Amino acid sequence: MLERRSALANAAPFRSKVLELAEAPDFALVQVAGEETATAARFGALPEKIRIALARDGQTIFRVGPRQFWFVGPMGADIANGLADTVAITPLGNSRTRILISGAAARDVLAKGVAVDFHHGAFTPDQFALTGLHHTPVLVHCIAADAFHLYAMRTFSMSVWEWLVDAAREFA
């Protein structure tokens, strides 16, 4: 079996008094699309709107489109168990890199390149945005007051990483 290797294996974490950038590895990500009734029967309540993430039982559920959800859980989680006959399941964990950006300057760094209002009252914990950063599609998830996960396509993750580090330099 092939060993999973991080696309950011050669990227050094960035740390300062007001900011941290690091890879947040070891997660499972599955896209589930189709009949919501079957998905809700398996997982319980689903997010009603795009933009609001639902965290429950060690998983985070994002509604990323009509009848389309991303489920994020711990590495090795069998998220799609029991759904194969009722919905379309697409494993995305190996195709995405998750980056943690946290600290008092996190919102300022993100605001430099993401067309989202990052003020504390506008983008709060458990909200997310499907947007772009440096010409690359990303999902930005606010996980705490000043902490975010960015999900970037693996092939573009080093480019996203380098952009973030450049944008963070003023906070070194």
Side-chain angles (χ1 to χ4, degrees):
M1 178 187 259
L2 294 175
E3 182 179 327
R4 183 176 181 176
R5 178 172 152 76
S6 167
L8 298 178
N10 296 324
F14 177 97
R15 289 187 177 85
S16 74
K17 291 181 181 179
V18 294
L19 188 66
E20 178 182 357
L21 290 171
E23 184 177 10
D26 302 329
F27 65 96
L29 170 58
V30 174
Q31 179 175 280
V32 176
E35 181 54 48
E36 285 187 38
T37 306
T39 307
R42 163 74 167 81
F43 293 104
L46 299 170
E48 293 184 22
K49 298 188 285 187
I50 294 174
R51 187 169 163 88
I52 306 299
L54 220 167
R56 181 177 58 240
D57 301 328
Q59 292 185 24
T60 303
I61 307 168
F62 303 98
R63 179 185 289 269
V64 295
R67 299 183 302 157
Q68 189 171 6
F69 302 89
W70 276 15
F71 289 83
V72 178
M75 182 64 103
D78 190 6
I79 297 170
N81 185 29
L83 287 173
D85 295 337
T86 58
V87 295
I89 299 166
T90 308
L92 296 175
N94 289 331
S95 70
R96 297 295 189 276
T97 298
R98 183 170 67 179
I99 298 169
L100 171 69
I101 178 168
S102 63
R107 291 174 183 270
D108 294 328
V109 169
L110 289 170
K112 289 181 178 185
V114 179
V116 171
D117 184 353
F118 283 103
H119 290 94
H120 283 91
F123 200 68
T124 60
D126 296 325
Q127 290 186 339
F128 73 95
L130 293 161
T131 185
L133 172 67
H134 191 53
H135 308 290
T136 304
V138 294
L139 184 146
V140 181
H141 177 209
C142 184
I143 58 172
D146 288 318
F148 302 84
H149 277 154
L150 274 71
Y151 294 85
M153 286 188 275
R154 177 183 168 81
T155 53
F156 299 111
S157 59
M158 186 54 84
S159 176
V160 169
W161 178 263
E162 289 170 348
W163 186 95
L164 288 168
V165 170
D166 283 346
R169 289 193 194 286
E170 76 172 278
F171 302 104

